[in-house]
Amino acid sequence: MHHIKTIEGNLDAKGLKFAIVAARFNDFIVDRLINGAVDYIVRNGGSRDDLTIVRISGAFEMPLVTKKLARSGAYDGIVCLGAVIRGATPHFDFVASEVAKGIAQVCLDTDVPIGFGILTTDNLEQAIERAGSKGGNKGVDAAAATLESIRVLEQI
Ligand code: INI
């Protein structure tokens, strides 16, 4: 808006190094989130040579691995991808809330922008909807949010 100083991130991924941390659990879904995230970064000028994909067992392992990646100083941003599906687990609420809390903590503790691309859904159909069909692709959204945060933080 005119006369109002506004800080906005451009969406140019050129020269940025990203780590994508992705769970193997529900890989049928997560592989599509990875494809979406990689495709988004490359379409916005990022290079495949600057991407590192880290595969881990499940969403519960995400915070610790993400913390080590963030502390390494090697990445401008980290995109966390997984799928926690209620129908498939009796400990859904525990896993889902611990992971969200843990990743938020890592983000604030390390000052590294982290995108939260972990689906938490009631069933497989809802997960499929958000992994590259009618609900879009949450991997794309998480990569986009990470990129935007990196570029905003550069200006503050
Ligand atoms: N991990 C997931 O990423 N998604 C799930 O839906 C899930 N379920 O259903 O249990 C899940 N569990 C594994 C968990 O993340 C850990 O890997 C496991 O508990 C070992 O620590």
Side-chain angles (χ1 to χ4, degrees), residues 9-63:
N10 68 58
L11 298 179
D12 181 7
K14 191 165 190 288
L16 296 178
K17 293 190 163 46
F18 288 89
I20 296 172
V21 192
R24 292 186 197 281
F25 205 102
N26 291 321
D27 67 343
F28 168 77
I29 298 295
V30 177
D31 287 351
R32 281 154 182 80
L33 302 178
I34 296 172
N35 285 346
V38 169
D39 186 55
Y40 179 87
I41 291 166
V42 171
R43 275 190 294 119
N44 284 278
S47 163
R48 283 175 196 276
D49 296 336
D50 290 332
L51 295 181
T52 303
I53 295 175
V54 182
R55 293 311 293 258
I56 61 173
S57 51
F60 191 78
E61 283 68 43
M62 196 77 66

Short mmCIF file of all heavy atoms in Angstrom, two decimals, residues 9-63:
data_model
loop_
_atom_site.label_atom_id
_atom_site.label_comp_id
_atom_site.label_asym_id
_atom_site.label_seq_id
_atom_site.Cartn_x
_atom_site.Cartn_y
_atom_site.Cartn_z
N GLY A 9 8.61 -10.99 1.31
CA GLY A 9 9.65 -11.85 0.76
C GLY A 9 9.41 -12.07 -0.72
O GLY A 9 8.28 -12.31 -1.13
N ASN A 10 10.49 -11.96 -1.53
CA ASN A 10 10.32 -12.41 -2.92
C ASN A 10 10.38 -13.94 -2.89
O ASN A 10 10.73 -14.56 -1.88
CB ASN A 10 11.39 -11.79 -3.82
CG ASN A 10 12.78 -12.34 -3.52
OD1 ASN A 10 13.01 -13.54 -3.59
ND2 ASN A 10 13.70 -11.46 -3.18
N LEU A 11 10.01 -14.55 -3.99
CA LEU A 11 9.95 -16.01 -3.99
C LEU A 11 11.00 -16.58 -4.94
O LEU A 11 10.74 -17.48 -5.73
CB LEU A 11 8.54 -16.48 -4.37
CG LEU A 11 7.45 -16.02 -3.39
CD1 LEU A 11 6.07 -16.49 -3.83
CD2 LEU A 11 7.74 -16.51 -1.97
N ASP A 12 12.22 -16.04 -4.80
CA ASP A 12 13.34 -16.50 -5.63
C ASP A 12 14.21 -17.44 -4.81
O ASP A 12 14.82 -17.04 -3.82
CB ASP A 12 14.15 -15.28 -6.09
CG ASP A 12 15.31 -15.69 -6.97
OD1 ASP A 12 15.43 -16.89 -7.32
OD2 ASP A 12 16.13 -14.81 -7.29
N ALA A 13 14.25 -18.69 -5.22
CA ALA A 13 15.00 -19.71 -4.46
C ALA A 13 16.44 -19.85 -4.94
O ALA A 13 17.18 -20.70 -4.44
CB ALA A 13 14.29 -21.05 -4.56
N LYS A 14 16.85 -19.00 -5.88
CA LYS A 14 18.20 -19.12 -6.45
C LYS A 14 19.26 -19.01 -5.35
O LYS A 14 19.23 -18.09 -4.54
CB LYS A 14 18.42 -18.02 -7.48
CG LYS A 14 19.66 -18.18 -8.32
CD LYS A 14 19.59 -17.25 -9.54
CE LYS A 14 20.69 -17.54 -10.54
NZ LYS A 14 22.00 -17.15 -10.15
N GLY A 15 20.18 -19.95 -5.34
CA GLY A 15 21.31 -19.90 -4.41
C GLY A 15 21.00 -20.37 -2.99
O GLY A 15 21.90 -20.43 -2.16
N LEU A 16 19.74 -20.71 -2.72
CA LEU A 16 19.39 -21.14 -1.36
C LEU A 16 19.57 -22.64 -1.19
O LEU A 16 19.28 -23.42 -2.10
CB LEU A 16 17.94 -20.77 -1.04
CG LEU A 16 17.61 -19.27 -1.01
CD1 LEU A 16 16.12 -19.07 -0.72
CD2 LEU A 16 18.46 -18.55 0.02
N LYS A 17 20.03 -22.99 0.00
CA LYS A 17 20.20 -24.41 0.33
C LYS A 17 19.06 -24.87 1.24
O LYS A 17 18.81 -24.28 2.29
CB LYS A 17 21.54 -24.63 1.02
CG LYS A 17 22.73 -24.37 0.11
CD LYS A 17 24.02 -24.83 0.74
CE LYS A 17 25.13 -24.96 -0.29
NZ LYS A 17 25.23 -23.81 -1.21
N PHE A 18 18.37 -25.91 0.79
CA PHE A 18 17.26 -26.46 1.56
C PHE A 18 17.56 -27.90 1.96
O PHE A 18 18.10 -28.67 1.17
CB PHE A 18 15.97 -26.51 0.72
CG PHE A 18 15.36 -25.16 0.46
CD1 PHE A 18 15.72 -24.42 -0.66
CD2 PHE A 18 14.39 -24.65 1.31
CE1 PHE A 18 15.14 -23.19 -0.92
CE2 PHE A 18 13.79 -23.43 1.06
CZ PHE A 18 14.18 -22.69 -0.05
N ALA A 19 17.15 -28.24 3.18
CA ALA A 19 17.05 -29.66 3.56
C ALA A 19 15.57 -30.00 3.61
O ALA A 19 14.76 -29.20 4.09
CB ALA A 19 17.69 -29.90 4.91
N ILE A 20 15.24 -31.14 3.06
CA ILE A 20 13.87 -31.66 3.14
C ILE A 20 13.92 -32.91 4.01
O ILE A 20 14.60 -33.88 3.68
CB ILE A 20 13.34 -32.00 1.73
CG1 ILE A 20 13.24 -30.73 0.88
CG2 ILE A 20 11.99 -32.71 1.82
CD1 ILE A 20 12.91 -30.99 -0.59
N VAL A 21 13.28 -32.83 5.17
CA VAL A 21 13.27 -33.98 6.08
C VAL A 21 11.94 -34.71 5.90
O VAL A 21 10.87 -34.11 6.06
CB VAL A 21 13.40 -33.54 7.55
CG1 VAL A 21 13.69 -34.74 8.43
CG2 VAL A 21 14.48 -32.49 7.72
N ALA A 22 12.01 -35.97 5.53
CA ALA A 22 10.78 -36.68 5.16
C ALA A 22 10.70 -38.05 5.83
O ALA A 22 11.66 -38.82 5.81
CB ALA A 22 10.71 -36.84 3.64
N ALA A 23 9.55 -38.32 6.41
CA ALA A 23 9.32 -39.61 7.07
C ALA A 23 9.07 -40.71 6.04
O ALA A 23 8.48 -40.47 4.99
CB ALA A 23 8.13 -39.50 8.02
N ARG A 24 9.55 -41.93 6.36
CA ARG A 24 9.22 -43.09 5.51
C ARG A 24 7.82 -43.60 5.82
O ARG A 24 7.18 -44.21 4.96
CB ARG A 24 10.22 -44.22 5.76
CG ARG A 24 11.60 -43.92 5.30
CD ARG A 24 12.50 -45.14 5.45
NE ARG A 24 13.89 -44.73 5.38
CZ ARG A 24 14.52 -44.46 4.26
NH1 ARG A 24 13.90 -44.57 3.11
NH2 ARG A 24 15.78 -44.06 4.28
N PHE A 25 7.36 -43.39 7.04
CA PHE A 25 6.02 -43.85 7.44
C PHE A 25 5.00 -43.19 6.50
O PHE A 25 5.06 -42.00 6.26
CB PHE A 25 5.76 -43.43 8.89
CG PHE A 25 4.76 -44.28 9.59
CD1 PHE A 25 5.16 -45.25 10.50
CD2 PHE A 25 3.40 -44.12 9.36
CE1 PHE A 25 4.23 -46.05 11.16
CE2 PHE A 25 2.47 -44.91 10.01
CZ PHE A 25 2.88 -45.87 10.91
N ASN A 26 4.09 -43.98 5.97
CA ASN A 26 3.11 -43.47 4.99
C ASN A 26 3.82 -42.90 3.75
O ASN A 26 3.42 -41.85 3.22
CB ASN A 26 2.20 -42.40 5.60
CG ASN A 26 1.24 -42.96 6.64
OD1 ASN A 26 0.72 -44.05 6.47
ND2 ASN A 26 1.02 -42.22 7.71
N ASP A 27 4.86 -43.59 3.28
CA ASP A 27 5.65 -43.04 2.17
C ASP A 27 4.84 -42.89 0.88
O ASP A 27 5.16 -42.07 0.02
CB ASP A 27 6.95 -43.82 1.94
CG ASP A 27 6.72 -45.23 1.43
OD1 ASP A 27 5.59 -45.75 1.55
OD2 ASP A 27 7.69 -45.83 0.92
N PHE A 28 3.78 -43.66 0.76
CA PHE A 28 2.87 -43.50 -0.39
C PHE A 28 2.39 -42.05 -0.49
O PHE A 28 2.31 -41.47 -1.58
CB PHE A 28 1.67 -44.45 -0.20
CG PHE A 28 0.53 -44.21 -1.13
CD1 PHE A 28 0.57 -44.64 -2.45
CD2 PHE A 28 -0.62 -43.56 -0.69
CE1 PHE A 28 -0.49 -44.42 -3.31
CE2 PHE A 28 -1.69 -43.34 -1.55
CZ PHE A 28 -1.62 -43.78 -2.85
N ILE A 29 2.12 -41.44 0.68
CA ILE A 29 1.70 -40.04 0.73
C ILE A 29 2.93 -39.11 0.73
O ILE A 29 2.99 -38.14 -0.04
CB ILE A 29 0.89 -39.78 2.03
CG1 ILE A 29 -0.39 -40.62 2.05
CG2 ILE A 29 0.59 -38.29 2.20
CD1 ILE A 29 -1.40 -40.27 0.99
N VAL A 30 3.89 -39.44 1.56
CA VAL A 30 5.03 -38.52 1.78
C VAL A 30 5.85 -38.33 0.49
O VAL A 30 6.33 -37.23 0.22
CB VAL A 30 5.91 -39.01 2.95
CG1 VAL A 30 7.12 -38.09 3.13
CG2 VAL A 30 5.10 -39.08 4.24
N ASP A 31 5.97 -39.39 -0.31
CA ASP A 31 6.73 -39.25 -1.57
C ASP A 31 6.12 -38.17 -2.46
O ASP A 31 6.83 -37.45 -3.17
CB ASP A 31 6.79 -40.58 -2.33
CG ASP A 31 7.75 -41.58 -1.66
OD1 ASP A 31 8.47 -41.19 -0.72
OD2 ASP A 31 7.75 -42.76 -2.08
N ARG A 32 4.80 -38.06 -2.41
CA ARG A 32 4.14 -37.01 -3.21
C ARG A 32 4.38 -35.62 -2.64
O ARG A 32 4.48 -34.64 -3.38
CB ARG A 32 2.65 -37.32 -3.32
CG ARG A 32 2.39 -38.39 -4.35
CD ARG A 32 1.14 -39.20 -4.13
NE ARG A 32 1.04 -40.23 -5.18
CZ ARG A 32 1.71 -41.38 -5.16
NH1 ARG A 32 2.51 -41.67 -4.16
NH2 ARG A 32 1.60 -42.24 -6.16
N LEU A 33 4.50 -35.56 -1.33
CA LEU A 33 4.82 -34.26 -0.72
C LEU A 33 6.24 -33.85 -1.09
O LEU A 33 6.51 -32.67 -1.37
CB LEU A 33 4.68 -34.34 0.81
CG LEU A 33 3.31 -34.75 1.37
CD1 LEU A 33 3.36 -34.83 2.89
CD2 LEU A 33 2.23 -33.77 0.92
N ILE A 34 7.16 -34.83 -1.10
CA ILE A 34 8.55 -34.53 -1.50
C ILE A 34 8.58 -34.02 -2.94
O ILE A 34 9.22 -33.00 -3.23
CB ILE A 34 9.44 -35.79 -1.38
CG1 ILE A 34 9.54 -36.26 0.07
CG2 ILE A 34 10.84 -35.51 -1.94
CD1 ILE A 34 10.24 -37.62 0.24
N ASN A 35 7.89 -34.73 -3.83
CA ASN A 35 7.86 -34.30 -5.23
C ASN A 35 7.36 -32.87 -5.35
O ASN A 35 7.91 -32.06 -6.10
CB ASN A 35 6.94 -35.20 -6.07
CG ASN A 35 7.56 -36.54 -6.36
OD1 ASN A 35 8.77 -36.73 -6.18
ND2 ASN A 35 6.75 -37.49 -6.80
N GLY A 36 6.31 -32.55 -4.59
CA GLY A 36 5.75 -31.20 -4.63
C GLY A 36 6.74 -30.16 -4.14
O GLY A 36 6.89 -29.10 -4.75
N ALA A 37 7.42 -30.46 -3.05
CA ALA A 37 8.37 -29.50 -2.48
C ALA A 37 9.56 -29.28 -3.41
O ALA A 37 9.96 -28.13 -3.67
CB ALA A 37 8.85 -30.00 -1.11
N VAL A 38 10.10 -30.37 -3.95
CA VAL A 38 11.25 -30.25 -4.86
C VAL A 38 10.84 -29.47 -6.10
O VAL A 38 11.54 -28.54 -6.54
CB VAL A 38 11.79 -31.65 -5.26
CG1 VAL A 38 12.80 -31.54 -6.40
CG2 VAL A 38 12.41 -32.35 -4.04
N ASP A 39 9.70 -29.83 -6.65
CA ASP A 39 9.23 -29.16 -7.86
C ASP A 39 9.04 -27.66 -7.61
O ASP A 39 9.43 -26.83 -8.45
CB ASP A 39 7.91 -29.81 -8.29
CG ASP A 39 7.42 -29.29 -9.62
OD1 ASP A 39 8.19 -29.36 -10.59
OD2 ASP A 39 6.27 -28.81 -9.69
N TYR A 40 8.47 -27.31 -6.47
CA TYR A 40 8.26 -25.89 -6.16
C TYR A 40 9.59 -25.14 -6.10
O TYR A 40 9.75 -24.06 -6.67
CB TYR A 40 7.51 -25.72 -4.83
CG TYR A 40 7.30 -24.26 -4.49
CD1 TYR A 40 6.20 -23.56 -4.98
CD2 TYR A 40 8.26 -23.56 -3.74
CE1 TYR A 40 6.04 -22.21 -4.71
CE2 TYR A 40 8.10 -22.21 -3.48
CZ TYR A 40 6.99 -21.54 -3.97
OH TYR A 40 6.84 -20.20 -3.72
N ILE A 41 10.55 -25.70 -5.39
CA ILE A 41 11.84 -25.02 -5.22
C ILE A 41 12.55 -24.85 -6.57
O ILE A 41 13.06 -23.77 -6.88
CB ILE A 41 12.72 -25.80 -4.21
CG1 ILE A 41 12.11 -25.69 -2.80
CG2 ILE A 41 14.16 -25.26 -4.21
CD1 ILE A 41 12.68 -26.68 -1.78
N VAL A 42 12.53 -25.91 -7.37
CA VAL A 42 13.21 -25.84 -8.67
C VAL A 42 12.49 -24.86 -9.61
O VAL A 42 13.13 -24.08 -10.33
CB VAL A 42 13.32 -27.26 -9.29
CG1 VAL A 42 13.81 -27.19 -10.74
CG2 VAL A 42 14.24 -28.13 -8.45
N ARG A 43 11.16 -24.86 -9.59
CA ARG A 43 10.41 -23.92 -10.43
C ARG A 43 10.64 -22.47 -10.04
O ARG A 43 10.44 -21.56 -10.83
CB ARG A 43 8.90 -24.21 -10.36
CG ARG A 43 8.44 -25.29 -11.32
CD ARG A 43 6.93 -25.38 -11.39
NE ARG A 43 6.35 -25.83 -10.14
CZ ARG A 43 5.48 -25.10 -9.42
NH1 ARG A 43 5.08 -23.91 -9.83
NH2 ARG A 43 5.02 -25.57 -8.29
N ASN A 44 11.08 -22.26 -8.80
CA ASN A 44 11.33 -20.90 -8.34
C ASN A 44 12.82 -20.56 -8.35
O ASN A 44 13.25 -19.64 -7.61
CB ASN A 44 10.69 -20.67 -6.97
CG ASN A 44 9.19 -20.50 -7.09
OD1 ASN A 44 8.69 -19.42 -7.38
ND2 ASN A 44 8.46 -21.58 -6.94
N GLY A 45 13.58 -21.27 -9.14
CA GLY A 45 14.98 -20.88 -9.35
C GLY A 45 15.99 -21.62 -8.51
O GLY A 45 17.20 -21.39 -8.63
N GLY A 46 15.53 -22.49 -7.63
CA GLY A 46 16.46 -23.29 -6.83
C GLY A 46 17.11 -24.38 -7.67
O GLY A 46 16.62 -24.72 -8.74
N SER A 47 18.23 -24.90 -7.17
CA SER A 47 18.94 -25.94 -7.90
C SER A 47 18.85 -27.27 -7.15
O SER A 47 18.91 -27.31 -5.92
CB SER A 47 20.42 -25.55 -8.03
OG SER A 47 21.19 -26.68 -8.37
N ARG A 48 18.68 -28.34 -7.91
CA ARG A 48 18.67 -29.67 -7.30
C ARG A 48 19.96 -29.94 -6.54
O ARG A 48 19.97 -30.66 -5.55
CB ARG A 48 18.48 -30.76 -8.37
CG ARG A 48 17.05 -30.86 -8.83
CD ARG A 48 16.87 -31.85 -9.98
NE ARG A 48 15.57 -31.62 -10.59
CZ ARG A 48 14.44 -32.14 -10.13
NH1 ARG A 48 14.46 -32.97 -9.12
NH2 ARG A 48 13.29 -31.83 -10.70
N ASP A 49 21.06 -29.35 -7.01
CA ASP A 49 22.36 -29.53 -6.34
C ASP A 49 22.38 -28.91 -4.94
O ASP A 49 23.23 -29.26 -4.12
CB ASP A 49 23.49 -28.92 -7.17
CG ASP A 49 23.66 -29.62 -8.50
OD1 ASP A 49 23.26 -30.80 -8.59
OD2 ASP A 49 24.17 -29.00 -9.44
N ASP A 50 21.49 -27.99 -4.69
CA ASP A 50 21.42 -27.33 -3.38
C ASP A 50 20.37 -27.94 -2.46
O ASP A 50 20.07 -27.39 -1.39
CB ASP A 50 21.14 -25.83 -3.55
CG ASP A 50 22.31 -25.09 -4.15
OD1 ASP A 50 23.46 -25.53 -3.95
OD2 ASP A 50 22.09 -24.07 -4.84
N LEU A 51 19.78 -29.05 -2.90
CA LEU A 51 18.76 -29.72 -2.08
C LEU A 51 19.33 -30.98 -1.44
O LEU A 51 20.09 -31.71 -2.09
CB LEU A 51 17.57 -30.14 -2.95
CG LEU A 51 16.73 -29.06 -3.59
CD1 LEU A 51 15.59 -29.69 -4.40
CD2 LEU A 51 16.17 -28.14 -2.53
N THR A 52 18.99 -31.20 -0.19
CA THR A 52 19.36 -32.44 0.49
C THR A 52 18.09 -33.06 1.06
O THR A 52 17.35 -32.40 1.80
CB THR A 52 20.33 -32.15 1.65
OG1 THR A 52 21.47 -31.47 1.13
CG2 THR A 52 20.77 -33.44 2.33
N ILE A 53 17.81 -34.30 0.69
CA ILE A 53 16.65 -35.00 1.24
C ILE A 53 17.12 -35.94 2.34
O ILE A 53 18.04 -36.74 2.13
CB ILE A 53 15.90 -35.78 0.14
CG1 ILE A 53 15.31 -34.80 -0.89
CG2 ILE A 53 14.78 -36.64 0.76
CD1 ILE A 53 14.65 -35.45 -2.09
N VAL A 54 16.54 -35.80 3.51
CA VAL A 54 16.90 -36.63 4.65
C VAL A 54 15.70 -37.52 4.97
O VAL A 54 14.63 -37.01 5.32
CB VAL A 54 17.26 -35.76 5.88
CG1 VAL A 54 17.70 -36.63 7.05
CG2 VAL A 54 18.33 -34.74 5.52
N ARG A 55 15.84 -38.82 4.83
CA ARG A 55 14.75 -39.74 5.13
C ARG A 55 14.88 -40.23 6.56
O ARG A 55 15.96 -40.66 6.98
CB ARG A 55 14.76 -40.96 4.17
CG ARG A 55 14.44 -40.66 2.71
CD ARG A 55 13.22 -39.82 2.45
NE ARG A 55 11.91 -40.36 2.77
CZ ARG A 55 11.06 -40.85 1.88
NH1 ARG A 55 11.38 -40.94 0.60
NH2 ARG A 55 9.86 -41.25 2.25
N ILE A 56 13.79 -40.19 7.29
CA ILE A 56 13.77 -40.67 8.67
C ILE A 56 12.59 -41.63 8.83
O ILE A 56 11.76 -41.74 7.92
CB ILE A 56 13.67 -39.51 9.69
CG1 ILE A 56 12.39 -38.71 9.47
CG2 ILE A 56 14.90 -38.61 9.58
CD1 ILE A 56 12.15 -37.67 10.53
N SER A 57 12.52 -42.31 9.96
CA SER A 57 11.52 -43.37 10.06
C SER A 57 10.10 -42.83 10.17
O SER A 57 9.24 -43.16 9.36
CB SER A 57 11.85 -44.30 11.23
OG SER A 57 12.05 -43.55 12.40
N GLY A 58 9.84 -41.97 11.16
CA GLY A 58 8.48 -41.48 11.32
C GLY A 58 8.48 -40.04 11.78
O GLY A 58 9.53 -39.45 12.09
N ALA A 59 7.28 -39.48 11.83
CA ALA A 59 7.15 -38.07 12.20
C ALA A 59 7.71 -37.79 13.60
O ALA A 59 8.23 -36.71 13.87
CB ALA A 59 5.69 -37.65 12.13
N PHE A 60 7.61 -38.79 14.47
CA PHE A 60 8.09 -38.57 15.84
C PHE A 60 9.59 -38.27 15.88
O PHE A 60 10.05 -37.55 16.78
CB PHE A 60 7.78 -39.81 16.70
CG PHE A 60 7.99 -39.58 18.16
CD1 PHE A 60 7.05 -38.87 18.91
CD2 PHE A 60 9.13 -40.05 18.79
CE1 PHE A 60 7.26 -38.64 20.27
CE2 PHE A 60 9.35 -39.83 20.14
CZ PHE A 60 8.41 -39.12 20.88
N GLU A 61 10.34 -38.78 14.91
CA GLU A 61 11.80 -38.56 14.87
C GLU A 61 12.15 -37.19 14.26
O GLU A 61 13.32 -36.78 14.27
CB GLU A 61 12.48 -39.67 14.05
CG GLU A 61 12.63 -41.00 14.77
CD GLU A 61 11.31 -41.71 15.04
OE1 GLU A 61 10.45 -41.74 14.15
OE2 GLU A 61 11.13 -42.21 16.17
N MET A 62 11.17 -36.49 13.76
CA MET A 62 11.40 -35.25 13.00
C MET A 62 12.09 -34.14 13.82
O MET A 62 13.06 -33.54 13.34
CB MET A 62 10.06 -34.76 12.46
CG MET A 62 10.12 -33.74 11.36
SD MET A 62 10.52 -34.39 9.74
CE MET A 62 9.15 -35.41 9.32
N PRO A 63 11.65 -33.83 15.03
CA PRO A 63 12.23 -32.68 15.73
C PRO A 63 13.74 -32.80 15.98
O PRO A 63 14.48 -31.85 15.74
CB PRO A 63 11.44 -32.64 17.05
CG PRO A 63 10.11 -33.22 16.69
CD PRO A 63 10.44 -34.33 15.74
#
